[in-house]
Amino acid sequence: MAKVKMKTNRSAAKRFKVTANGKIMHKKAGKSHLLRKKSRKTKRHLKKYKEIFAGFYDHVAKIIPYKF
């Protein structure tokens, strides 16, 4: 029986990045529109990537198997 390759979830692959240390990072929400009312500081902090919640690691690692 041939070994079956797992398919990567393409939408997840575009949303998550894996660091050299194996952390899964995502972009913060809220930077796409309605920026006029947000302060300069808020917009600056929304630029940064953030590590995902620990409870989601297993699920995200399963849907992007070849990023690790």
Side-chain angles (χ1 to χ4, degrees), residues 9-68:
N9 181 311
R10 297 311 297 158
S11 63
K14 293 167 190 170
R15 285 174 172 81
F16 300 109
K17 307 292 176 208
V18 181
T19 65
N21 292 333
K23 291 181 185 176
I24 303 173
M25 309 296 276
H26 74 94
K27 267 219 140 148
K28 296 179 181 178
K31 186 81 190 330
S32 61
H33 62 102
L34 301 176
L35 298 174
R36 188 180 59 233
K37 60 176 86 171
K38 291 173 184 146
S39 70
R40 201 180 272 180
K41 181 180 176 180
T42 301
K43 289 184 277 194
R44 187 170 61 243
H45 286 296
L46 287 172
K47 280 185 202 176
K48 300 178 182 178
Y49 275 80
K50 185 180 180 215
E51 189 175 359
I52 65 167
F53 176 67
F56 293 140
Y57 260 86
D58 292 338
H59 177 67
V60 173
K62 198 179 289 184
I63 60 177
I64 51 170
Y66 301 109
K67 286 248 184 183
F68 292 96

Side-chain angles (χ1 to χ4, degrees), residues 8 13 55:
T8 298

